[in-house]
Amino acid sequence: MRCQYCGYLDSKVIDSRPAEEGSSIRRRRECLRCGRRFTTYEKIETSPVMIIKKDMRREPFNADKIKRGLLAACQKRPVSIKDIDGIVDRVEKAVYTLGEDEISSRRIGEAVMDELKKLDEVAYVRFASVYRQFTDVGSFMEELNKLIHDHD
């Protein structure tokens, strides 16, 4: 594994432990040249799941896109990166557990919103406003009213 600090190709593993609910291994490494430590993750290679977009285009599932969307929705909110990574991990696990070759982007978006709703309602509304592409104040208010009624 190449050192992220000096680029040297040789390192030694200091510690290994399961991560992401056992779906990967986290390894702490130490560069044999500069001595600095860094973390790597080893994941099982999975067969690609294709996402069917609203316009019927297909693209490979990419958990990083979910994380970017969550980071934007949670900006300046009391939500930790650990919480965001947890959502990404749970949604990714759900996608691969389905065992389907193709899944609609709508199902993924709904799964993300279900998770986010439990974590932070403001971030949920932010994510929903982009995901559902509210076109007017009425549709936005409708979503807010659903959230208020779910609280009661």
Side-chain angles (χ1 to χ4, degrees):
M1 188 63 62
R2 183 181 302 274
C3 173
Q4 68 182 42
Y5 303 105
C6 72
Y8 193 61
L9 283 173
D10 212 1
S11 63
K12 67 178 177 180
V13 175
I14 296 170
D15 180 46
S16 290
R17 63 181 67 171
E20 300 172 14
E21 299 177 6
S23 64
S24 69
I25 297 174
R26 177 185 182 271
R27 298 194 193 280
R28 284 296 290 162
R29 296 177 177 272
E30 183 176 317
C31 176
L32 295 178
R33 179 193 284 161
C34 71
R36 293 185 75 179
R37 293 182 177 188
F38 56 98
T39 302
T40 60
Y41 291 88
E42 182 178 316
K43 273 189 148 181
I44 294 172
E45 188 173 359
T46 55
S47 59
V49 173
M50 298 303 285
I51 304 305
I52 304 169
K53 308 294 277 184
K54 289 177 186 173
D55 64 1
M56 301 309 289
R57 286 181 301 115
R58 285 160 170 72
E59 64 180 49
F61 174 75
N62 183 350
D64 290 334
K65 287 181 80 172
I66 295 172
K67 186 170 184 174
R68 284 193 303 273
L70 287 168
L71 287 169
C74 295
Q75 192 172 26
K76 296 183 182 180
R77 297 297 305 154
V79 177
S80 70
I81 293 295
K82 184 177 178 181
D83 290 334
I84 290 170
D85 287 339
I87 291 173
V88 173
D89 291 344
R90 287 188 296 278
V91 170
E92 183 175 23
K93 184 178 180 181
V95 165
Y96 287 108
T97 300
L98 288 171
E100 297 176 13
D101 294 332
E102 296 183 331
I103 185 170
S104 73
S105 60
R106 178 179 175 87
R107 284 176 70 185
I108 293 171
E110 294 295 329
V112 171
M113 288 195 307
D114 288 345
E115 290 281 341
L116 200 50
K117 188 184 233 181
K118 297 178 228 171
L119 185 64
D120 186 281
E121 291 176 342
V122 172
Y124 163 79
V125 171
R126 287 178 178 172
F127 188 89
S129 70
V130 172
Y131 174 71
R132 294 213 171 119
Q133 298 176 335
F134 296 138
T135 54
D136 56 33
V137 175
S139 58
F140 187 74
M141 288 303 296
E142 190 177 309
E143 188 66 34
L144 286 176
N145 285 330
K146 284 183 199 173
L147 190 60
I148 290 167
H149 290 296
D150 285 349
H151 245 268
D152 295 340

